Amino acid sequence: MLAFESALARAQAEEGLIPEASARAIAAACESIRIDEERLVAEGKRSATLAVPLVQMLRAEVARHAKDAAAHVHLGATSQDVLDTAMALCLKSCLEEADRSLEGAVRGLAAKARGHAATPMMGRTLMQPALPITAGLKIARWALALAHDRERLADAQAAGLAVQLGGPVGALEAFGAKGPAVRHRLAMRLALADAPAWHVHRNAWIDLLDRMAQVVATAGKIALDVALLQQAEVAEMLEAPPREGVGASSSMPHKRNPVGCAHALAAATRMPGLIATVHAAAIAAHERALGGWQAELAVVPEIATQLGTSLDFLDGIAASLVVDAARMKANLAAQGGAASVPSHAADELLAALSPYL
Amino acid sequence: MLAFESALARAQAEEGLIPEASARAIAAACESIRIDEERLVAEGKRSATLAVPLVQMLRAEVARHAKDAAAHVHLGATSQDVLDTAMALCLKSCLEEADRSLEGAVRGLAAKARGHAATPMMGRTLMQPALPITAGLKIARWALALAHDRERLADAQAAGLAVQLGGPVGALEAFGAKGPAVRHRLAMRLALADAPAWHVHRNAWIDLLDRMAQVVATAGKIALDVALLQQAEVAEMLEAPPREGVGASSSMPHKRNPVGCAHALAAATRMPGLIATVHAAAIAAHERALGGWQAELAVVPEIATQLGTSLDFLDGIAASLVVDAARMKANLAAQGGAASVPSHAADELLAALSPYL
Amino acid sequence: MLAFESALARAQAEEGLIPEASARAIAAACESIRIDEERLVAEGKRSATLAVPLVQMLRAEVARHAKDAAAHVHLGATSQDVLDTAMALCLKSCLEEADRSLEGAVRGLAAKARGHAATPMMGRTLMQPALPITAGLKIARWALALAHDRERLADAQAAGLAVQLGGPVGALEAFGAKGPAVRHRLAMRLALADAPAWHVHRNAWIDLLDRMAQVVATAGKIALDVALLQQAEVAEMLEAPPREGVGASSSMPHKRNPVGCAHALAAATRMPGLIATVHAAAIAAHERALGGWQAELAVVPEIATQLGTSLDFLDGIAASLVVDAARMKANLAAQGGAASVPSHAADELLAALSPYL
Amino acid sequence: MLAFESALARAQAEEGLIPEASARAIAAACESIRIDEERLVAEGKRSATLAVPLVQMLRAEVARHAKDAAAHVHLGATSQDVLDTAMALCLKSCLEEADRSLEGAVRGLAAKARGHAATPMMGRTLMQPALPITAGLKIARWALALAHDRERLADAQAAGLAVQLGGPVGALEAFGAKGPAVRHRLAMRLALADAPAWHVHRNAWIDLLDRMAQVVATAGKIALDVALLQQAEVAEMLEAPPREGVGASSSMPHKRNPVGCAHALAAATRMPGLIATVHAAAIAAHERALGGWQAELAVVPEIATQLGTSLDFLDGIAASLVVDAARMKANLAAQGGAASVPSHAADELLAALSPYL
């Protein structure tokens, strides 16, 4: 939020809307201020927005050093401008990390898939043995799904991570004809996309959240597969080699629970409700929502958390997944399956993966 | 489903997997067959898939004219291949219609926005009067949101409307090295994208559904705005000029309910739950889901229906929305608002809209 | 809907609000009328309610035999009165069937639980072997959960299945002081609870729907357990003995898919989204919702359908579940588990079940 | 969690399963221990449960004073026992507060309803003027809905707030025949209901959560009504008299936003997704869920928070709602409505309310 206020003042000074000295004073105060978080929350509740107390605190901080500049804090902006932009900035760094994590997961899984392109295992449908596949095919599918998820997620950021600057009713009325120029400078400074105010038309943003949910679903699917294959009676995969203190039980010391899968499946269980909330919150009245936007603000961090949990799981799987080819063979044989299986299908997937590696 | 079976046989014949005569016989049977829908449903329930009885019926039909060809029906394919492809074909024609409808709505609303670019009205936030905007700005925002929704929806179709052909475990094992070639020919014949089997990695498809939901949300937002503006005490817009028999009440003959808005808001109320279901259903075990895929099959037509309802509403609004500039002026004056408002903001949106017109 | 109109006329005649002859004519017309469903739907769409065309059609039918009585059709009532009451009547008969079905499932499962109270099997947590339990304990838990679900469902009907009669704004204004008496008579005739109009305060009704969802969740949990135990590598239970043509695959004739589980899990996958929609739709503006109520109308039949699907599954499980005690013993031994397990815990559950048998 | 461990040790000592001295030492340690929360979270993540590190920490604390007693900590219990019981204890105190708050809201609104039983105002349906009602009727409906919500919530606690004690697989196997007695003593000590382990059959608990959601929906409905009536063009109600610093805007000092309504509507927007998650999470595999239970743990506090937010809103409305009878009259007149309206309907509701006052 302070990054927004600082960059806004700079952008306004560059467009001649406020004195250069004010911009400097505001930027300095954004560095020096120490926020009393408890007070911020308590006062934010009274106005249903954290922006109101933050701007007050910042004005007070600016006034301590440069009285005249205080009036130039948050000039022409509205609560939603600073909160939405702050949210976009937070998500931006999450998504940079997510991109690296997904890249690593795709590479790690692709390598495992190549190594097992011809390792036969039972293919299962409706939870019953069907026909043999290869372990490489299964893993290559996971990898390709994640590669596509990553690509979609990257695509959605161009429009989805946009600066928010509209002022009270989204019309930038305080800046006259200079509104778009201020907004453009602000966007450049914050390395966000420039776009007209999206206070109540949030689909570019929601598209990004939808695609975060898609990653969580893929991770959930992989976690379900691994957990099923890690069942003692199947024992074809382990999410990781046994490690002291991981997956421990408070009552059964011998257990090794698939905790990575548990985390990923919990995230996948939560995501549909979160995405439903975001879509529901989009039905916003007039020029700023009553209730919907406020609900979305609370839900976006939850969505980012579920994504983070899923990526931790994928990091772990890509690094540590254990494939037990012998057990796969034995299980296949027990069901009368073929002892060898062509790697055609795995090869096709691996070829499709190569542009992403 | 019959289009799939017919095209599959043709593709297989072209690749030399079945005789040309079989392909002809199957294609002919797909034209001549009369499906007993009640039996289809009853038998479909027993196998949890409509494909099992359909294939049986088709085999019987083929066998009546060409006994040997019957064994070539559905060769190497699985239930999910025919059902998912059929769903994609259905959605494809829905989305062609949606695209035309959205194009018309964008044009219609853009024209209204141009006409009211400088018509002052009260901007409202948190359901309270805020500062004046122009009616053109409000309507141009709707139009631009729909233009972007349309664009995103079109983008998602390239990957989302793909043929499904994988056979029992998605490995195209019945076709040997010719698998991808058969699938490619099938895709070409059905004018769908070619892609490896997506039985249990459905995010390209879900992305399309998410974007359908985004359109429904935009329509819901517009409907909420119109319904609020059509309140008797506000009276700044009407969803349409009063028409005999539309919006009638069973108890109050004088009423003119905003029925278009009611339909669009009902669709928007349903969509979050439907999208949540689709995301939840994506956590599919192994090579074919147990429960999840079956749930998705039932939900996709519901999603298409909500989209259709929303588009009907948008068609109506684009054609018939009534803007009462005098009342807007009077309401503004009653709140002490300015009598004239610059059209800067509306002009920026209209410029952003021009590539879509 | 016709049952409502007929009973309403009778109740009004009994209170002296309309002539006895009118009530007779209306009741007769409700028997004789043939509804043109296509027209009903088309016209219903224009008013966003099926009640408007239905009342028109009924008035026309009454007028054919008793001109004066036509004006007494639907007197003082509103669309929502007839639609909500009709929905309650439909749900009432669904729930009577559900109650019988649940009773049978509880009895059937309790009998199986008694038979296997001391049959040892592996208890599994987080999808890993934990400690031994008995098959009877597991099945008795299912049965007790269903017995409690049934009890809760029955409890919710007292308040949830109420007549709806409020007139245009819920105040029964057309009936003067006789409003509550008419409503009471109507409720008696339709065997529904009597309650003040619940047009926009629907929690007694929603409570019933929530509890229907609880049954579907229990069925889903049982289905997941059975599907996991029916995995070839585990093979401790089958949802039913193999039957010709049930659970068939279109590609693999040898397969026996757990189709009952697939249906129940699909229902359980759909229910959270449906329940979310019902809760969302409850935020109704003023004296009748715009959008929310209309969404709920469409969703209630879906909820009833998921319940029906779940009950079919439970009927099947209660009648046909196969428990393979030998395989359970072998699997336990393979994990080093005890060969015999006390039946304490199963006995406690069976005792808790006895009042429900 | 410590309350559980302490009471469990006491209950076990009373049943002679551990020495009295151990129970005393454990209870003392539960008082003296200082939890390192950061370590708790970090280690909890590794086992996907906070119980594992908590029990370790507690054992260490006990061992400092009574070495032999350390082995008696958490004896025979499992992670889910302590976590579910702790959750029930937390919810119990939330619900006690909720009950008082709802009681006050019902009383406060009933008083306002009585005062306005004959104050005419426009009844509105589908967001259009319909027929006159009285303000007292509208407010009495809110109050009666809350009274019923409160009653349902209280009813659900008898079964929903139960102790959880089952041990690793829910069979209380460590306690032999004494299992139920230990559980009963534990329940008495914690003032929770006694019930067989509900690890994977959670509907009594979910029923409680569903009913919390019902309260949030009623609050959301009231908030929507108030926000609509507080619109400047309607101006028939205010959520509270204007107060310095409440409902402030960061850009428009003159604004008085309905912040109570914003909070309540945000809570109502979030609740459907949360309830959907709880229902989805109920589909638990075998004797302890993988993912579902973990998701529920994270969501229950969110549900309690939304309830708390809604109750704050209701407290405010019950204390401070402003009804502008003159404006109601003027708005009615402007739509040609009747100047006086009988209070029959309000009187019926007030009579129905009297048992709750």
Side-chain angles (χ1 to χ4, degrees):
Chain A
M1 292 169 74
L2 294 166
F4 169 90
E5 299 295 351
S6 173
L8 177 62
R10 295 256 188 222
Q12 291 174 331
E14 283 165 351
E15 288 296 322
L17 292 168
I18 65 171
E20 188 52 41
S22 286
R24 273 197 308 271
I26 292 169
C30 286
E31 295 292 331
S32 63
I33 194 170
R34 289 295 162 267
I35 300 290
D36 175 346
E37 293 185 10
E38 227 165 289
R39 202 186 119 204
L40 188 79
V41 168
E43 296 188 8
K45 204 176 166 187
R46 302 179 75 207
S47 44
T49 159
L50 292 176
V52 169
L54 183 97
V55 168
Q56 281 174 344
M57 289 173 187
L58 181 58
R59 279 198 187 121
E61 176 79 6
V62 170
R64 283 175 50 207
H65 303 99
K67 218 168 181 184
D68 296 351
H72 297 139
V73 168
H74 193 67
L75 188 75
T78 194
S79 294
Q80 192 168 359
D81 293 336
V82 54
L83 282 160
D84 279 345
T85 302
M87 191 94 84
L89 288 171
C90 292
L91 214 50
K92 188 172 199 281
S93 64
C94 289
L95 292 175
E96 282 160 3
E97 207 182 306
D99 188 70
R100 282 191 297 274
S101 184
L102 283 169
E103 185 185 18
V106 170
R107 281 184 198 282
L109 290 171
K112 281 184 203 294
R114 258 191 313 273
H116 288 288
T119 302
M121 74 178 289
M122 180 56 87
R124 296 168 175 100
T125 57
L126 289 89
M127 304 273 276
Q128 288 295 306
L131 292 176
I133 56 172
T134 70
L137 172 60
K138 189 178 195 96
I139 299 170
R141 279 175 181 159
W142 299 345
L144 189 60
L146 291 172
H148 289 156
D149 287 345
R150 181 183 170 221
E151 198 169 39
R152 270 192 298 267
L153 197 53
D155 283 353
Q157 292 179 48
L161 289 179
V163 76
Q164 182 69 280
L165 186 67
V169 288
L172 286 174
E173 51 285 322
F175 310 138
K178 289 189 169 171
V182 171
R183 199 186 61 218
H184 184 74
R185 286 184 183 275
L186 178 65
M188 290 305 99
R189 285 190 165 274
L190 298 173
L192 294 172
D194 182 19
W198 44 282
H199 291 163
V200 284
H201 289 289
R202 307 179 70 76
N203 277 349
W205 173 247
I206 289 171
D207 196 52
L208 192 52
L209 301 172
D210 285 344
R211 288 175 163 193
M212 292 166 74
Q214 293 167 15
V215 176
V216 172
T218 302
K221 186 270 183 286
I222 297 172
L224 179 57
D225 279 3
V226 172
L228 287 167
L229 293 170
Q230 185 164 339
Q231 290 173 104
E233 299 83 0
V234 181
E236 298 181 5
M237 287 190 185
L238 286 178
E239 65 171 32
R243 271 170 300 170
E244 180 67 27
V246 174
S249 152
S250 74
S251 52
M252 292 167 287
H254 66 279
K255 273 194 90 181
R256 285 293 168 266
N257 290 321
V259 288
C261 296
H263 284 301
L265 286 167
T269 302
R270 294 195 58 194
M271 199 49 115
L274 294 168
I275 280 300
T277 302
V278 165
H279 279 256
I283 315 305
H286 293 314
E287 280 63 66
R288 176 152 317 117
L290 183 74
W293 171 54
Q294 294 81 1
E296 194 212 87
L297 282 177
V299 165
V300 170
E302 295 287 333
I303 290 174
T305 302
Q306 308 318 311
L307 177 62
T309 297
S310 304
L311 294 171
D312 284 352
F313 163 73
L314 292 171
D315 288 349
I317 287 290
S320 309
L321 181 76
V322 178
V323 175
D324 186 337
R327 185 66 184 249
M328 288 175 171
K329 207 169 171 180
N331 285 346
L332 252 184
Q335 302 296 328
S340 87
V341 177
S343 66
H344 289 321
D347 294 343
E348 188 192 9
L349 274 274
L350 285 166
L353 266 168
S354 64
Y356 301 102
L357 301 179
Chain B
M1 292 170 74
L2 294 166
F4 169 91
E5 299 294 352
S6 173
L8 176 64
R10 294 262 189 214
Q12 291 174 330
E14 282 164 352
E15 289 295 321
L17 293 168
I18 66 171
E20 188 52 43
S22 285
R24 273 198 309 272
I26 292 168
C30 285
E31 295 292 330
S32 63
I33 194 170
R34 288 295 161 270
I35 300 290
D36 175 345
E37 293 185 9
E38 227 165 291
R39 202 186 120 206
L40 188 78
V41 168
E43 297 188 6
K45 202 177 166 187
R46 301 179 75 207
S47 44
T49 160
L50 292 176
V52 170
L54 183 99
V55 168
Q56 282 173 343
M57 290 174 186
L58 181 58
R59 281 199 184 116
E61 177 78 7
V62 171
R64 285 175 49 209
H65 304 102
K67 218 169 182 180
D68 295 350
H72 296 140
V73 168
H74 193 68
L75 188 74
T78 193
S79 295
Q80 192 169 358
D81 293 335
V82 54
L83 281 160
D84 278 345
T85 303
M87 191 93 83
L89 288 170
C90 291
L91 213 51
K92 190 175 199 281
S93 64
C94 288
L95 291 176
E96 283 161 3
E97 208 183 304
D99 188 70
R100 283 191 297 275
S101 184
L102 282 170
E103 186 185 17
V106 171
R107 282 184 198 282
L109 289 172
K112 280 185 204 294
R114 257 192 311 274
H116 288 288
T119 302
M121 75 179 289
M122 181 56 87
R124 296 167 176 100
T125 56
L126 288 89
M127 304 271 276
Q128 288 295 306
L131 291 176
I133 56 171
T134 71
L137 172 59
K138 189 177 196 97
I139 299 170
R141 280 177 180 157
W142 298 346
L144 189 60
L146 291 171
H148 290 156
D149 287 345
R150 182 185 170 220
E151 198 171 36
R152 270 191 299 267
L153 197 52
D155 283 353
Q157 292 179 50
L161 290 180
V163 76
Q164 183 69 280
L165 186 67
V169 288
L172 286 174
E173 51 284 324
F175 310 139
K178 289 189 169 172
V182 171
R183 198 187 62 217
H184 184 75
R185 286 184 183 277
L186 177 64
M188 292 303 100
R189 284 190 167 275
L190 298 174
L192 294 172
D194 182 18
W198 44 282
H199 291 164
V200 283
H201 289 289
R202 307 178 71 75
N203 278 349
W205 173 248
I206 289 171
D207 195 52
L208 193 51
L209 302 172
D210 285 344
R211 288 176 162 191
M212 292 166 74
Q214 293 167 16
V215 176
V216 173
T218 302
K221 187 270 183 286
I222 297 173
L224 179 57
D225 279 2
V226 172
L228 287 168
L229 293 169
Q230 186 164 339
Q231 291 173 104
E233 298 83 359
V234 181
E236 298 181 6
M237 288 190 183
L238 286 178
E239 65 170 35
R243 272 169 299 171
E244 181 68 28
V246 175
S249 152
S250 75
S251 53
M252 294 166 285
H254 66 278
K255 272 194 91 181
R256 284 294 167 268
N257 289 321
V259 290
C261 295
H263 284 301
L265 285 168
T269 302
R270 294 195 59 195
M271 199 48 115
L274 294 167
I275 280 300
T277 304
V278 165
H279 278 256
I283 315 303
H286 291 316
E287 280 64 64
R288 177 153 315 116
L290 182 75
W293 171 54
Q294 294 80 1
E296 193 210 88
L297 282 176
V299 166
V300 171
E302 295 287 333
I303 289 174
T305 302
Q306 307 318 310
L307 177 62
T309 297
S310 303
L311 294 171
D312 284 352
F313 163 73
L314 292 172
D315 289 350
I317 287 290
S320 309
L321 181 75
V322 178
V323 175
D324 186 335
R327 185 65 185 246
M328 287 175 172
K329 207 171 171 180
N331 285 348
L332 252 185
Q335 301 298 327
S340 89
V341 177
S343 68
H344 290 321
D347 293 344
E348 189 192 7
L349 275 274
L350 286 166
L353 266 168
S354 66
Y356 300 103
L357 301 179
Chain C
M1 290 170 74
L2 294 166
F4 169 91
E5 299 294 352
S6 173
L8 176 64
R10 294 260 189 217
Q12 291 174 331
E14 283 164 352
E15 288 295 323
L17 293 168
I18 66 170
E20 189 52 43
S22 285
R24 273 198 307 272
I26 292 168
C30 286
E31 295 292 331
S32 63
I33 194 170
R34 289 295 160 267
I35 300 291
D36 175 345
E37 293 185 9
E38 227 165 292
R39 201 185 120 206
L40 188 78
V41 168
E43 296 189 5
K45 203 177 166 186
R46 301 180 74 209
S47 44
T49 160
L50 292 175
V52 170
L54 183 98
V55 168
Q56 281 173 344
M57 290 174 185
L58 181 58
R59 281 200 183 117
E61 177 77 8
V62 171
R64 284 174 48 208
H65 303 100
K67 216 170 182 181
D68 296 349
H72 296 139
V73 168
H74 193 67
L75 187 74
T78 193
S79 294
Q80 191 169 0
D81 292 336
V82 54
L83 282 160
D84 279 346
T85 302
M87 191 92 84
L89 289 170
C90 291
L91 213 51
K92 190 175 199 283
S93 64
C94 289
L95 291 176
E96 282 161 3
E97 208 182 305
D99 188 70
R100 283 191 297 275
S101 185
L102 283 169
E103 186 185 17
V106 171
R107 281 183 198 283
L109 290 172
K112 280 185 204 293
R114 258 192 312 275
H116 288 288
T119 302
M121 73 178 291
M122 181 55 88
R124 295 168 176 99
T125 56
L126 289 90
M127 304 271 277
Q128 288 294 305
L131 291 176
I133 56 171
T134 71
L137 172 59
K138 189 178 196 97
I139 299 170
R141 280 177 181 157
W142 298 346
L144 189 60
L146 291 171
H148 289 157
D149 287 344
R150 182 185 170 220
E151 199 171 36
R152 269 191 299 268
L153 197 52
D155 283 352
Q157 293 178 49
L161 290 179
V163 76
Q164 183 68 281
L165 186 66
V169 288
L172 286 174
E173 52 285 322
F175 310 139
K178 289 189 169 171
V182 171
R183 197 186 64 217
H184 184 75
R185 286 184 184 277
L186 177 65
M188 293 303 100
R189 286 191 165 274
L190 298 173
L192 293 172
D194 182 19
W198 45 283
H199 291 165
V200 283
H201 289 289
R202 308 178 70 76
N203 277 349
W205 173 248
I206 289 171
D207 195 52
L208 194 51
L209 301 172
D210 285 344
R211 288 175 162 192
M212 292 166 73
Q214 293 167 17
V215 176
V216 173
T218 303
K221 186 269 183 287
I222 297 172
L224 178 57
D225 279 2
V226 172
L228 287 168
L229 293 169
Q230 186 163 338
Q231 291 173 103
E233 298 84 359
V234 180
E236 298 181 6
M237 288 189 182
L238 286 177
E239 65 169 35
R243 274 169 298 171
E244 181 69 27
V246 174
S249 151
S250 74
S251 52
M252 293 165 286
H254 66 279
K255 272 194 91 180
R256 282 295 168 268
N257 290 322
V259 289
C261 295
H263 284 301
L265 285 167
T269 302
R270 293 196 58 196
M271 198 48 113
L274 294 168
I275 280 300
T277 302
V278 165
H279 278 256
I283 315 304
H286 292 316
E287 280 63 64
R288 178 152 314 118
L290 182 75
W293 171 55
Q294 293 80 2
E296 194 210 87
L297 282 176
V299 165
V300 171
E302 295 287 333
I303 290 174
T305 301
Q306 307 319 311
L307 178 62
T309 297
S310 303
L311 294 169
D312 284 353
F313 163 73
L314 292 171
D315 288 349
I317 287 289
S320 310
L321 181 75
V322 178
V323 175
D324 186 336
R327 184 66 185 248
M328 288 175 172
K329 209 170 169 177
N331 286 346
L332 252 185
Q335 302 297 327
S340 88
V341 177
S343 67
H344 290 320
D347 293 344
E348 190 193 7
L349 274 274
L350 286 166
L353 266 168
S354 66
Y356 301 104
L357 300 178
Chain D
M1 292 169 74
L2 294 167
F4 169 91
E5 299 294 352
S6 173
L8 176 63
R10 295 256 187 221
Q12 290 174 331
E14 283 164 353
E15 288 296 321
L17 292 169
I18 65 171
E20 187 53 41
S22 286
R24 273 197 308 271
I26 292 168
C30 286
E31 294 292 330
S32 63
I33 195 169
R34 289 294 161 268
I35 300 290
D36 175 345
E37 293 185 8
E38 227 164 290
R39 201 185 120 205
L40 188 79
V41 168
E43 296 188 7
K45 203 176 167 188
R46 301 178 75 206
S47 44
T49 159
L50 292 176
V52 170
L54 183 97
V55 169
Q56 281 174 344
M57 289 174 187
L58 181 58
R59 280 197 186 122
E61 175 79 6
V62 170
R64 284 175 48 208
H65 303 98
K67 217 169 182 182
D68 296 351
H72 297 139
V73 168
H74 193 69
L75 187 76
T78 194
S79 294
Q80 192 169 359
D81 292 337
V82 54
L83 282 160
D84 279 346
T85 302
M87 192 93 84
L89 288 171
C90 290
L91 213 51
K92 189 173 199 283
S93 64
C94 288
L95 292 175
E96 283 161 2
E97 208 183 305
D99 188 69
R100 282 191 298 274
S101 184
L102 283 169
E103 186 185 19
V106 171
R107 280 184 199 283
L109 290 172
K112 280 184 204 295
R114 257 192 311 274
H116 288 288
T119 301
M121 75 179 289
M122 181 54 89
R124 297 170 175 98
T125 57
L126 289 90
M127 304 271 276
Q128 288 295 305
L131 291 176
I133 57 172
T134 71
L137 172 59
K138 188 177 197 97
I139 299 170
R141 280 176 180 158
W142 298 346
L144 189 61
L146 291 171
H148 289 157
D149 287 345
R150 181 184 170 220
E151 198 170 38
R152 270 190 299 267
L153 196 54
D155 283 353
Q157 292 179 48
L161 289 179
V163 76
Q164 182 69 280
L165 187 67
V169 289
L172 286 174
E173 51 286 322
F175 310 139
K178 289 189 170 172
V182 171
R183 199 186 60 218
H184 184 74
R185 286 184 183 275
L186 178 64
M188 291 304 99
R189 285 190 166 275
L190 298 174
L192 295 172
D194 182 20
W198 44 283
H199 292 163
V200 284
H201 290 289
R202 308 179 71 75
N203 277 349
W205 173 249
I206 289 171
D207 196 51
L208 193 52
L209 301 173
D210 285 344
R211 287 176 163 192
M212 292 166 72
Q214 292 167 16
V215 176
V216 173
T218 303
K221 185 269 183 287
I222 297 172
L224 179 57
D225 279 4
V226 172
L228 287 167
L229 292 170
Q230 185 163 339
Q231 291 172 104
E233 298 83 0
V234 181
E236 298 181 6
M237 287 191 184
L238 286 178
E239 65 171 31
R243 271 170 299 170
E244 181 67 27
V246 174
S249 151
S250 74
S251 52
M252 291 167 286
H254 67 279
K255 273 194 90 181
R256 284 293 168 269
N257 290 321
V259 289
C261 296
H263 284 301
L265 286 167
T269 302
R270 293 195 58 195
M271 198 50 115
L274 294 168
I275 280 301
T277 303
V278 165
H279 278 257
I283 314 305
H286 292 316
E287 281 62 66
R288 176 151 318 117
L290 182 75
W293 171 55
Q294 293 80 0
E296 193 211 89
L297 281 177
V299 165
V300 171
E302 295 287 333
I303 290 175
T305 301
Q306 307 318 311
L307 178 61
T309 297
S310 302
L311 293 171
D312 284 352
F313 164 73
L314 292 171
D315 288 349
I317 286 290
S320 310
L321 181 75
V322 179
V323 175
D324 187 337
R327 185 65 184 248
M328 288 175 170
K329 208 170 170 180
N331 285 346
L332 253 183
Q335 302 295 329
S340 87
V341 177
S343 66
H344 288 322
D347 293 343
E348 190 192 9
L349 274 274
L350 286 166
L353 265 168
S354 65
Y356 301 103
L357 301 179

